[in-house]
Each structure stands twice: as structure tokens, then as C-alpha cells.
Amino acid sequence: MQIRDLPYPDPGVPDVRSGPRFLYWLGRNQLGGQLKSLSWGLLHQFGVAGLPLGVGLAVQAVVDRSGSRLALAAGLIALLGVAVALGDTMLHRTAVTNWITAAARVQQLLARKTAELGSALTRRVAAGEVVAVSTGDVEKIGWFVEALSRFAAAALTLVVVCVGLMVYQPALGIVVAIGVPVLALAVLPLLPKATRRADAQREKAGKATELASDTVAGLRVLRGIGGEDLFLGRYRSASQEVRKAAVRSARMWALISAVQVLLPGLLLITVVVYGAKLTLDGRIAVGELVTVYSAVTLLLYPLRHFEEIAMAYSFSRPSAKRAARVLALERTAYAPGDPAASAAEETPAGDLYDPATGLLAPAGRLTAVVCGDPDLAGVLAERLGGHATTDPATGEAAPPSALLGGVALDDLPLITARGAVLVQDKDPVLLSGTLSELLDVPASGNVAAADALDAAQCDDVLAALAQASTDSTDDPMRTRITERGRSLSGGQRQRLALARSLVTDPEVLVLDEPTSAVDSHTEARVAAGVKRLRTGRTTVVFASSPLLLDQADRVVLVHEGEVAAVGVHRELLRTDARYRAVVTRETDAEDAASAESARAMEQADVPVLEEIEESA
């Protein structure tokens, strides 16, 4: 996989049993890229490791005053330089490709899981953790995948060089062969403690991120109650905890780095002292000592990859664990082989119920919902559709899931839930294309496009599109609608979106202020058309217009997040002051005056009625 080929047609099914298993699965699925990176890494590392041999031959040629051998050594060094340059360039290219493609695969998996879970995601995983996984954790996982091939090349190079030195100069080669494994493994006892400190740092950072996101989401409420300073103090304390944890983690990694500087230094001193003694005794030549010394010096470069892979793994393991935990979430509680899974895929039928507010929309009836707070109406409409919603007062995810026929929407496969309940928000989007393409959506087939357009009162829209049509037949269905319907008015866009929703003919249709941008005469006709076309289907309309409310079979008043009154429009208008205030926009003084006037009229009517009864 190359960067230009992203995104993946199918990112695959990950192994989410644990963080290490997820990393192994990720690396296995990038085996081709890893092998390419390993090959170029070996070329680069062997080129670097071969330079001491060329330098040693050159020094010995100068000592022996041999021009031909000096030229041969120079040619060897030049060839090795080309190998180093080419290998380093291609290694960087392939390693970065592995990093980006691995991160892209994880991002696609997370996006797919987010789309699959819908609103269930934020109910099961904290928002801060989701942010951490989709940003920083993805980068750390990619880092480990990228560093893996370079570490493998470095490890193979160390083995080959140690074996080569033992063959080239056994006396010094044995010292190097013993010392290098010690250098590579010396930091292993320190890694668990460093990993624990890094985990603690990331955990505190995740909590600080979650606190920050919650504070920002509820900033309007905090300002209203004067709680900004309180939450700012909490975030400052959390930030300081992150700083202290980061310092403790950095101290541990500094110790690991110091060990990897000190021990190689001791190995170099040992090689120089012992090699000088062997040279003075005449057991080895000067060029051989230079070769071994240069080889040991250059071995420090591949040894750095041991530190890097240790850091990459310690940082990526908890990141992979968090990613695996999110990817392991299932929307439904049924296992793939469970017989109940097939039953859950069937679209449920029955009443729509929201446990959070107590709102009930009976099956097959038109229910109108009146909310004093427009924000609450939008949130409630989204929740009835099983979409991820937040409480505008707290910014927290709404915990309960709406029930359709007694079945929680969160327990249904996403495709089933979306097919059962369709939500049209107050600002619907029209994609560019012809009107025929706009109405060509997955549907039951029971509602014709012409009937839907008629019910949504789109006659004037069709006439305008027919005039704008470039087709010789002036067919409005072939007229192209611009991006987001910018060539249409707000009311025309609303009615076309309503027609699209009516064509879909879902089991439950939720409409949020579907006629807020049309005039009263058109609104009355739209209300009657929707009621006629949706007969026998469950329809929920969020509105405060008397023209819509009068067409509803059932009207529900939601006040302060709970159902406050249920009835029909005219009855509630007469008996419920809160409902009357929302629908008629009366102030408290006007409402009191209306009530006083009504009482006065009743008192005035009493003697008149008595006289009529006596005369009768």
C-alpha cells in the first residue's frame, strides 16, 4: 500500500483481544511494507558497518606504503557511501510510508466503528478518551510500526558485525561480541518502570483533555453561574499533575539514555586499551585495531534503535490498548452467531418512547411536540433517531436510548436503526444534482415522488425549476439543483427536503420545525398533506405553530426536560398556561389578563343563562 492509494478499500477486521495483539495484527497486515523497509535498512546499515573495513584497509595501506591497496580501499569506501546514501533515502521513504499507512488504517477502523456505534459510542467511552485515541494514540501506534523495520535491520546488522569481527580479529571480536548484547539488554530492567510512568502520564493527560472538553462544552452554563474560575482551577491542577507525571517519566527515559551512553563508552575504552596492548605485543596490526575501533564506534548507531523501539513500544502499547478497547465495542449485545442477532436485524414496530423525557409517540399516529427551548427540541429530535446527542445544559452525552416497540435503538444494527427512524433537522442539506436524483433515495416504494411533492406543496418549486430547465421538455425533474440548494429559497429547500423524507417512507419520521421558513397558508396545506400521506405511519413533528399542532392526533408539551402535558391542541390551549405561553407567545401579564377576561365573561354569562332557563 502506497500513500497515493489511501484510503484502504477495506481496513480489515482487527484483533482487539489486547493491545499487543492489535499491534501484531497491524504489523502483519503491512508485511510487504515492512519487508521493503527492512531491505533498505539492511543496505543502509551494512553500508555503515562496512565503512570501518574500508578505513582500516586504507590506514594499513598507508602504513605499508601500498598505492594499489589504498586505491582499492578508496573505491570500497565510495561504493559503501553510495549504499549508505541510497539505503538511508529509501529507508526513510518506506518507513514513513509504513507510519502513515498504519495510522490511516487505524483512523479508518475508528471511523468505521464510530459510524457503526452512533450514539452508543459516547455512552460507553468518555469523550476525552475518544479524542486521545483518534489523535495522539494513532500517531504513537504509527511510530511503533515505522520503527519496527528499522529496529529489525539494526538487530540483524549487529549480529552480522559481531560475527564478522570474531572472524576478522578473534581476540577483539570476542570482547565486542560479549559487550554488544550487554549494551542492548542493559536497559531492559528499567523499561517496566519507565512504561508505568509513561502510562500514568498518559492517563493524567487523558483526564485533563476530558476535563477541558467538558469545560468548553459547558462554558455557556459556567458563565451563567459564575463557575469559570472554579473549573479553571480544576484544569490548572490537572495540568500540573500532567506536568509532574511528564517530568517523572522524562527522568526515567533520561536514565535509560545515560545508560546507553555510559556503557558504550566503557566498551570503547576496553577495546582501545586491550587493542593497544595487542598491537604493542605485535599480535594485531594497526589497521586491524582501527577497523575494530571504527566498527565498535559505528555500532553505537544501530544500538540507538534499541532505545527507540523500547520507547516506541512503551508509548504505543497503552495507545494500542485504548484503540483496541474502542474497536472492541459492539453496537448490539448479540454475538454474531447468536440467534437473537438475526431477530435484532428485523425492523421493530410499535410506539416510540424516550425514557429521558417520558415522551411517547404512539404507533401509526401524528404526534406534535412543543418545547419552550429550541435547543432542547433539536437534542430530543436527534435522540429519538438514535443519533449521538448532548445535553445543552451540561454538554454531557444523553445516557438513555430511545425505544421503538420496546427495543432500544442502540441495540439495533446501525443500518436497521437508520432505516427504522428518519430524522429531518431544521436545516436540511440538499446535495447538488437533478430533482430526480434528489428523490432517488432508499425507500419502501409505497410513496411516489409525485405524491410526496404534492404533500409537501412543491408546486411553485416545480414551476420555478421548469422555467430554469435547459431541457427542451421543460421537465423540472431533470433540472439541476445547485450545491446545498443555494438557487432556492429557504422555504423551497425545506419543502424539497420534506418531500425527500416522505418518499423514504420510514417506519418513524421525525421532523424538526419542517415549515419554519414558509408562509402560514402554505404551512396549513403542508400540515394537511403530511397527515394525509403519513396515515398509519408514526410521525413526530417538533413545532410550535398552531397550524401544525391543530393537525396532530396528539400534542405533547416538554418543559424543562420532562413531559409536562399531553392532549390535543385546542384542549391544551385552553387548560395549560405554559403551553399557551409557548404557542401564542403570550407574556405572563398578558396570560393573566386573558385569564381574568375569561373569568369575567363567565361571571357575566351566569345571569343571562339563568334568565334563558327561566323563560324556557
Side-chain angles (χ1 to χ4, degrees):
M1 171 64 71
Q2 298 296 320
I3 297 177
R4 63 175 177 270
D5 299 324
L6 293 175
Y8 288 94
D10 180 12
V13 180
D15 186 346
V16 294
R17 289 176 291 177
S18 66
R21 287 179 181 272
F22 178 67
L23 289 174
Y24 173 74
W25 174 86
L26 196 61
R28 188 183 64 195
N29 277 270
Q30 294 190 272
L31 188 58
Q34 294 291 339
L35 291 177
K36 288 182 182 178
S37 186
L38 175 62
S39 301
W40 291 115
L42 289 175
L43 178 63
H44 171 63
Q45 296 284 0
F46 285 161
V48 172
L51 287 176
L53 178 60
V55 172
L57 292 176
V59 170
Q60 192 62 43
V62 171
V63 172
D64 297 339
R65 299 181 180 274
S66 173
S68 59
R69 282 190 290 162
L70 181 61
L72 180 63
L76 177 61
I77 292 175
L79 181 62
L80 292 172
V82 172
V84 170
L86 179 62
D88 192 23
T89 301
M90 297 305 298
L91 171 63
H92 179 74
R93 180 185 178 91
T94 54
V96 170
T97 299
N98 288 337
W99 186 339
I100 294 176
T101 52
R105 187 187 293 272
V106 179
Q107 286 279 23
Q108 282 187 247
L109 290 170
L110 290 172
R112 185 175 67 181
K113 181 58 66 173
T114 301
E116 175 189 337
L117 291 174
S119 60
L121 176 63
T122 54
R123 295 190 181 104
R124 302 181 188 181
V125 182
E129 184 169 355
V130 175
V131 173
V133 170
S134 59
T135 53
D137 286 341
V138 168
E139 182 179 354
K140 292 180 178 65
I141 292 171
W143 176 30
F144 174 75
V145 173
E146 179 261 346
L148 192 60
S149 57
R150 290 190 284 111
F151 163 73
L156 288 174
T157 301
L158 286 177
V159 173
V160 171
V161 170
C162 288
V163 173
L165 287 178
M166 291 182 64
V167 174
Y168 177 73
Q169 181 46 253
L172 288 176
I174 293 177
V175 176
V176 176
I178 295 174
V180 168
V182 173
L183 296 181
L185 302 176
V187 297
L188 288 182
L190 302 176
L191 287 179
K193 190 173 184 179
T195 302
R196 287 195 297 271
R197 291 189 178 186
D199 291 346
Q201 175 197 349
R202 279 185 292 275
E203 182 179 356
K204 292 181 182 296
K207 291 181 179 178
T209 302
E210 182 178 350
L211 178 61
S213 63
D214 290 344
T215 302
V216 171
L219 190 58
R220 183 178 62 179
V221 177
L222 292 176
R223 286 175 175 171
I225 63 177
E228 292 178 86
D229 292 338
L230 175 62
F231 274 80
L232 181 61
R234 291 181 180 178
Y235 181 74
R236 185 180 291 111
S237 299
S239 179
Q240 289 301 313
E241 290 293 327
V242 174
R243 181 189 63 81
K244 292 177 182 178
V247 170
R248 294 181 70 247
S249 178
R251 285 174 180 169
M252 204 65 210
W253 289 110
L255 177 60
I256 292 175
S257 298
V259 169
Q260 292 202 327
V261 170
L262 176 63
L263 294 183
L266 294 177
L267 178 61
L268 280 176
I269 292 174
T270 301
V271 169
V272 170
V273 172
Y274 184 54
K277 183 176 182 303
L278 293 178
T279 304
L280 291 176
D281 292 343
R283 296 172 57 185
I284 64 173
V286 175
E288 293 176 336
L289 175 59
V290 172
T291 299
V292 176
Y293 172 78
S294 301
V296 174
T297 303
L298 292 178
L299 280 180
L300 301 184
Y301 172 69
L303 277 173
R304 294 175 187 172
H305 292 291
F306 282 78
E307 178 187 1
E308 182 189 15
I309 196 65
M311 292 182 64
Y313 180 73
S314 65
F315 278 92
S316 65
R317 185 181 59 82
S319 296
K321 181 180 179 181
R322 280 196 294 266
R325 184 165 60 246
V326 173
L327 294 174
L329 295 175
E330 295 294 338
R331 180 176 175 84
T332 66
Y334 309 113
D338 193 335
S342 57
E345 294 178 359
E346 299 178 0
T347 303
D351 299 340
L352 181 65
Y353 177 68
D354 176 41
T357 59
L359 171 62
L360 175 67
R365 300 176 66 186
L366 174 60
T367 301
V369 182
V370 177
C371 296
D373 184 359
D375 291 337
L376 177 60
V379 170
L380 183 52
E382 291 294 314
R383 193 160 64 237
L384 289 178
H387 296 271
T389 58
T390 56
D391 185 346
T394 63
E396 297 179 354
S401 170
L403 307 177
L404 179 60
V407 180
L409 292 177
D410 280 354
D411 285 343
L412 294 174
L414 191 64
I415 188 172
T416 305
R418 293 291 178 264
V421 183
L422 174 64
V423 179
Q424 177 182 307
D425 59 26
K426 63 182 64 177
D427 187 21
V429 176
L430 300 181
L431 302 179
S432 61
T434 64
L435 180 57
S436 177
E437 292 172 343
L438 175 69
L439 300 179
D440 185 15
V441 293
S444 65
N446 298 326
V447 178
D451 295 335
L453 290 168
D454 179 63
Q457 299 299 308
C458 294
D459 293 341
D460 62 322
V461 184
L462 294 177
L465 291 176
Q467 291 179 357
S469 175
T470 59
D471 191 274
S472 58
T473 61
D474 296 333
D475 184 1
M477 301 300 290
R478 298 183 181 181
T479 304
R480 190 165 189 82
I481 299 173
T482 58
E483 180 185 1
R484 300 182 69 89
R486 289 192 176 95
S487 59
L488 304 172
S489 67
Q492 290 174 330
R493 287 196 297 270
Q494 264 192 344
R495 282 176 285 158
L496 283 181
L498 177 59
R500 179 179 58 186
S501 300
L502 293 174
V503 166
T504 304
D505 190 35
E507 181 71 26
V508 178
L509 177 61
V510 180
L511 304 172
D512 186 7
E513 296 287 356
T515 58
S516 59
V518 301
D519 59 83
S520 58
H521 297 289
T522 306
E523 185 178 36
R525 293 196 298 269
V526 169
V530 170
K531 183 175 183 179
R532 181 182 68 254
L533 199 62
R534 292 287 300 174
T535 300
R537 290 293 216 179
T538 307
T539 308
V540 181
V541 181
F542 287 82
S544 58
S545 168
L547 296 173
L548 276 174
L549 298 174
D550 199 37
Q551 291 287 342
D553 300 320
R554 191 169 186 264
V555 179
V556 179
L557 172 65
V558 177
H559 181 68
E560 295 182 352
E562 294 181 353
V563 171
V566 180
V568 294
H569 168 61
R570 300 191 182 191
E571 175 189 349
L572 292 175
L573 198 63
R574 185 178 64 254
T575 60
D576 195 292
R578 290 172 300 185
Y579 178 82
R580 186 166 55 248
V582 174
V583 174
T584 64
R585 274 77 171 179
E586 286 185 349
T587 62
D588 292 340
E590 291 172 337
D591 184 57
S594 298
E596 183 66 27
S597 176
R599 285 195 296 271
M601 291 179 64
E602 289 177 358
Q603 293 174 358
D605 286 341
V606 169
V608 175
L609 291 173
E610 291 177 350
E611 292 178 2
I612 293 174
E613 290 174 354
E614 290 176 357
S615 62

mmCIF file of all heavy atoms in Angstrom, residues 40-54 76-77 79-85 87 157 298:
data_model
loop_
_atom_site.group_PDB
_atom_site.id
_atom_site.type_symbol
_atom_site.label_atom_id
_atom_site.label_comp_id
_atom_site.label_asym_id
_atom_site.label_seq_id
_atom_site.Cartn_x
_atom_site.Cartn_y
_atom_site.Cartn_z
ATOM 1 N N TRP A 40 15.834 -2.065 2.630
ATOM 2 C CA TRP A 40 16.588 -0.814 2.505
ATOM 3 C C TRP A 40 17.353 -0.498 3.785
ATOM 4 O O TRP A 40 18.453 0.055 3.736
ATOM 5 C CB TRP A 40 15.647 0.334 2.162
ATOM 6 C CG TRP A 40 15.069 0.256 0.789
ATOM 7 C CD1 TRP A 40 13.771 0.087 0.451
ATOM 8 C CD2 TRP A 40 15.783 0.354 -0.450
ATOM 9 N NE1 TRP A 40 13.607 0.045 -0.913
ATOM 10 C CE2 TRP A 40 14.837 0.219 -1.492
ATOM 11 C CE3 TRP A 40 17.125 0.517 -0.785
ATOM 12 C CZ2 TRP A 40 15.188 0.262 -2.843
ATOM 13 C CZ3 TRP A 40 17.478 0.556 -2.123
ATOM 14 C CH2 TRP A 40 16.528 0.433 -3.137
ATOM 15 N N GLY A 41 16.796 -0.881 4.931
ATOM 16 C CA GLY A 41 17.511 -0.670 6.189
ATOM 17 C C GLY A 41 18.772 -1.509 6.281
ATOM 18 O O GLY A 41 19.810 -1.050 6.778
ATOM 19 N N LEU A 42 18.709 -2.748 5.804
ATOM 20 C CA LEU A 42 19.898 -3.592 5.795
ATOM 21 C C LEU A 42 20.961 -3.022 4.879
ATOM 22 O O LEU A 42 22.172 -3.041 5.209
ATOM 23 C CB LEU A 42 19.525 -5.008 5.366
ATOM 24 C CG LEU A 42 18.721 -5.837 6.382
ATOM 25 C CD1 LEU A 42 18.312 -7.165 5.783
ATOM 26 C CD2 LEU A 42 19.559 -6.065 7.653
ATOM 27 N N LEU A 43 20.558 -2.511 3.706
ATOM 28 C CA LEU A 43 21.532 -1.895 2.801
ATOM 29 C C LEU A 43 22.216 -0.713 3.474
ATOM 30 O O LEU A 43 23.446 -0.550 3.401
ATOM 31 C CB LEU A 43 20.828 -1.456 1.519
ATOM 32 C CG LEU A 43 21.711 -0.731 0.478
ATOM 33 C CD1 LEU A 43 22.815 -1.662 -0.024
ATOM 34 C CD2 LEU A 43 20.865 -0.218 -0.684
ATOM 35 N N HIS A 44 21.420 0.103 4.137
ATOM 36 C CA HIS A 44 21.974 1.272 4.813
ATOM 37 C C HIS A 44 22.895 0.862 5.970
ATOM 38 O O HIS A 44 24.029 1.364 6.096
ATOM 39 C CB HIS A 44 20.829 2.138 5.337
ATOM 40 C CG HIS A 44 21.274 3.258 6.235
ATOM 41 N ND1 HIS A 44 22.087 4.275 5.820
ATOM 42 C CD2 HIS A 44 21.029 3.494 7.554
ATOM 43 C CE1 HIS A 44 22.314 5.112 6.806
ATOM 44 N NE2 HIS A 44 21.682 4.651 7.885
ATOM 45 N N GLN A 45 22.420 -0.054 6.811
ATOM 46 C CA GLN A 45 23.199 -0.460 7.988
ATOM 47 C C GLN A 45 24.474 -1.197 7.585
ATOM 48 O O GLN A 45 25.545 -0.979 8.176
ATOM 49 C CB GLN A 45 22.343 -1.352 8.895
ATOM 50 C CG GLN A 45 21.125 -0.669 9.491
ATOM 51 C CD GLN A 45 21.470 0.257 10.640
ATOM 52 O OE1 GLN A 45 22.632 0.406 11.004
ATOM 53 N NE2 GLN A 45 20.470 0.915 11.194
ATOM 54 N N PHE A 46 24.388 -2.086 6.592
ATOM 55 C CA PHE A 46 25.589 -2.793 6.143
ATOM 56 C C PHE A 46 26.587 -1.825 5.512
ATOM 57 O O PHE A 46 27.808 -2.004 5.633
ATOM 58 C CB PHE A 46 25.227 -3.888 5.149
ATOM 59 C CG PHE A 46 24.597 -5.089 5.791
ATOM 60 C CD1 PHE A 46 23.856 -6.004 5.049
ATOM 61 C CD2 PHE A 46 24.741 -5.323 7.155
ATOM 62 C CE1 PHE A 46 23.281 -7.112 5.640
ATOM 63 C CE2 PHE A 46 24.164 -6.430 7.754
ATOM 64 C CZ PHE A 46 23.431 -7.329 7.004
ATOM 65 N N GLY A 47 26.061 -0.786 4.829
ATOM 66 C CA GLY A 47 26.965 0.226 4.285
ATOM 67 C C GLY A 47 27.704 0.961 5.384
ATOM 68 O O GLY A 47 28.919 1.190 5.301
ATOM 69 N N VAL A 48 26.976 1.315 6.438
ATOM 70 C CA VAL A 48 27.610 1.987 7.582
ATOM 71 C C VAL A 48 28.591 1.046 8.273
ATOM 72 O O VAL A 48 29.710 1.436 8.634
ATOM 73 C CB VAL A 48 26.535 2.472 8.574
ATOM 74 C CG1 VAL A 48 27.189 2.995 9.847
ATOM 75 C CG2 VAL A 48 25.677 3.552 7.941
ATOM 76 N N ALA A 49 28.165 -0.217 8.460
ATOM 77 C CA ALA A 49 29.038 -1.172 9.148
ATOM 78 C C ALA A 49 30.285 -1.509 8.327
ATOM 79 O O ALA A 49 31.325 -1.883 8.891
ATOM 80 C CB ALA A 49 28.250 -2.445 9.450
ATOM 81 N N GLY A 50 30.209 -1.399 7.002
ATOM 82 C CA GLY A 50 31.365 -1.720 6.165
ATOM 83 C C GLY A 50 32.389 -0.616 6.082
ATOM 84 O O GLY A 50 33.548 -0.852 5.669
ATOM 85 N N LEU A 51 32.028 0.605 6.450
ATOM 86 C CA LEU A 51 32.982 1.716 6.370
ATOM 87 C C LEU A 51 34.240 1.492 7.205
ATOM 88 O O LEU A 51 35.348 1.834 6.765
ATOM 89 C CB LEU A 51 32.278 3.014 6.795
ATOM 90 C CG LEU A 51 31.271 3.590 5.783
ATOM 91 C CD1 LEU A 51 30.571 4.807 6.374
ATOM 92 C CD2 LEU A 51 31.978 3.968 4.482
ATOM 93 N N PRO A 52 34.134 0.946 8.440
ATOM 94 C CA PRO A 52 35.368 0.693 9.204
ATOM 95 C C PRO A 52 36.349 -0.219 8.471
ATOM 96 O O PRO A 52 37.571 -0.035 8.591
ATOM 97 C CB PRO A 52 34.856 0.032 10.490
ATOM 98 C CG PRO A 52 33.467 0.530 10.635
ATOM 99 C CD PRO A 52 32.939 0.651 9.246
ATOM 100 N N LEU A 53 35.807 -1.201 7.724
ATOM 101 C CA LEU A 53 36.702 -2.079 6.982
ATOM 102 C C LEU A 53 37.467 -1.292 5.925
ATOM 103 O O LEU A 53 38.695 -1.460 5.777
ATOM 104 C CB LEU A 53 35.895 -3.202 6.319
ATOM 105 C CG LEU A 53 36.707 -4.190 5.463
ATOM 106 C CD1 LEU A 53 37.770 -4.897 6.320
ATOM 107 C CD2 LEU A 53 35.788 -5.203 4.794
ATOM 108 N N GLY A 54 36.773 -0.401 5.212
ATOM 109 C CA GLY A 54 37.464 0.419 4.221
ATOM 110 C C GLY A 54 38.473 1.352 4.845
ATOM 111 O O GLY A 54 39.595 1.532 4.317
ATOM 112 N N LEU A 76 36.278 1.112 -2.327
ATOM 113 C CA LEU A 76 35.340 0.437 -1.438
ATOM 114 C C LEU A 76 34.569 1.450 -0.592
ATOM 115 O O LEU A 76 33.344 1.326 -0.414
ATOM 116 C CB LEU A 76 36.107 -0.540 -0.539
ATOM 117 C CG LEU A 76 35.257 -1.290 0.508
ATOM 118 C CD1 LEU A 76 34.187 -2.129 -0.172
ATOM 119 C CD2 LEU A 76 36.151 -2.157 1.401
ATOM 120 N N ILE A 77 35.282 2.463 -0.097
ATOM 121 C CA ILE A 77 34.615 3.493 0.712
ATOM 122 C C ILE A 77 33.592 4.254 -0.123
ATOM 123 O O ILE A 77 32.480 4.569 0.349
ATOM 124 C CB ILE A 77 35.662 4.449 1.318
ATOM 125 C CG1 ILE A 77 36.515 3.717 2.361
ATOM 126 C CG2 ILE A 77 34.994 5.665 1.952
ATOM 127 C CD1 ILE A 77 37.653 4.542 2.930
ATOM 128 N N LEU A 79 31.952 3.129 -2.765
ATOM 129 C CA LEU A 79 30.821 2.243 -3.006
ATOM 130 C C LEU A 79 29.924 2.147 -1.779
ATOM 131 O O LEU A 79 28.691 2.173 -1.879
ATOM 132 C CB LEU A 79 31.335 0.860 -3.411
ATOM 133 C CG LEU A 79 30.273 -0.199 -3.734
ATOM 134 C CD1 LEU A 79 29.440 0.248 -4.936
ATOM 135 C CD2 LEU A 79 30.924 -1.551 -4.001
ATOM 136 N N LEU A 80 30.570 2.039 -0.606
ATOM 137 C CA LEU A 80 29.794 1.977 0.627
ATOM 138 C C LEU A 80 29.046 3.283 0.876
ATOM 139 O O LEU A 80 27.919 3.282 1.400
ATOM 140 C CB LEU A 80 30.706 1.673 1.813
ATOM 141 C CG LEU A 80 31.323 0.258 1.832
ATOM 142 C CD1 LEU A 80 32.364 0.144 2.940
ATOM 143 C CD2 LEU A 80 30.237 -0.800 2.013
ATOM 144 N N GLY A 81 29.650 4.427 0.489
ATOM 145 C CA GLY A 81 28.970 5.714 0.641
ATOM 146 C C GLY A 81 27.706 5.792 -0.199
ATOM 147 O O GLY A 81 26.665 6.299 0.253
ATOM 148 N N VAL A 82 27.785 5.270 -1.427
ATOM 149 C CA VAL A 82 26.588 5.233 -2.272
ATOM 150 C C VAL A 82 25.514 4.347 -1.642
ATOM 151 O O VAL A 82 24.323 4.696 -1.632
ATOM 152 C CB VAL A 82 26.954 4.725 -3.682
ATOM 153 C CG1 VAL A 82 25.698 4.487 -4.513
ATOM 154 C CG2 VAL A 82 27.882 5.710 -4.379
ATOM 155 N N ALA A 83 25.934 3.196 -1.108
ATOM 156 C CA ALA A 83 24.973 2.293 -0.460
ATOM 157 C C ALA A 83 24.322 2.960 0.746
ATOM 158 O O ALA A 83 23.104 2.822 0.975
ATOM 159 C CB ALA A 83 25.668 0.995 -0.048
ATOM 160 N N VAL A 84 25.131 3.684 1.519
ATOM 161 C CA VAL A 84 24.588 4.379 2.698
ATOM 162 C C VAL A 84 23.574 5.433 2.278
ATOM 163 O O VAL A 84 22.474 5.539 2.845
ATOM 164 C CB VAL A 84 25.730 5.005 3.522
ATOM 165 C CG1 VAL A 84 25.158 5.932 4.607
ATOM 166 C CG2 VAL A 84 26.583 3.931 4.169
ATOM 167 N N ALA A 85 23.918 6.240 1.274
ATOM 168 C CA ALA A 85 23.017 7.311 0.830
ATOM 169 C C ALA A 85 21.723 6.751 0.257
ATOM 170 O O ALA A 85 20.614 7.199 0.609
ATOM 171 C CB ALA A 85 23.732 8.183 -0.201
ATOM 172 N N GLY A 87 20.440 3.671 0.661
ATOM 173 C CA GLY A 87 19.683 2.935 1.674
ATOM 174 C C GLY A 87 18.989 3.865 2.647
ATOM 175 O O GLY A 87 17.825 3.636 3.015
ATOM 176 N N THR A 157 22.052 -6.277 11.687
ATOM 177 C CA THR A 157 23.383 -5.707 11.431
ATOM 178 C C THR A 157 24.324 -5.977 12.595
ATOM 179 O O THR A 157 25.504 -6.322 12.398
ATOM 180 C CB THR A 157 23.263 -4.197 11.187
ATOM 181 O OG1 THR A 157 22.396 -3.968 10.066
ATOM 182 C CG2 THR A 157 24.621 -3.585 10.893
ATOM 183 N N LEU A 298 30.794 2.768 15.199
ATOM 184 C CA LEU A 298 29.613 2.822 14.350
ATOM 185 C C LEU A 298 28.498 1.899 14.838
ATOM 186 O O LEU A 298 27.339 2.080 14.460
ATOM 187 C CB LEU A 298 29.991 2.473 12.914
ATOM 188 C CG LEU A 298 30.877 3.514 12.207
ATOM 189 C CD1 LEU A 298 31.242 3.043 10.802
ATOM 190 C CD2 LEU A 298 30.178 4.862 12.126
#
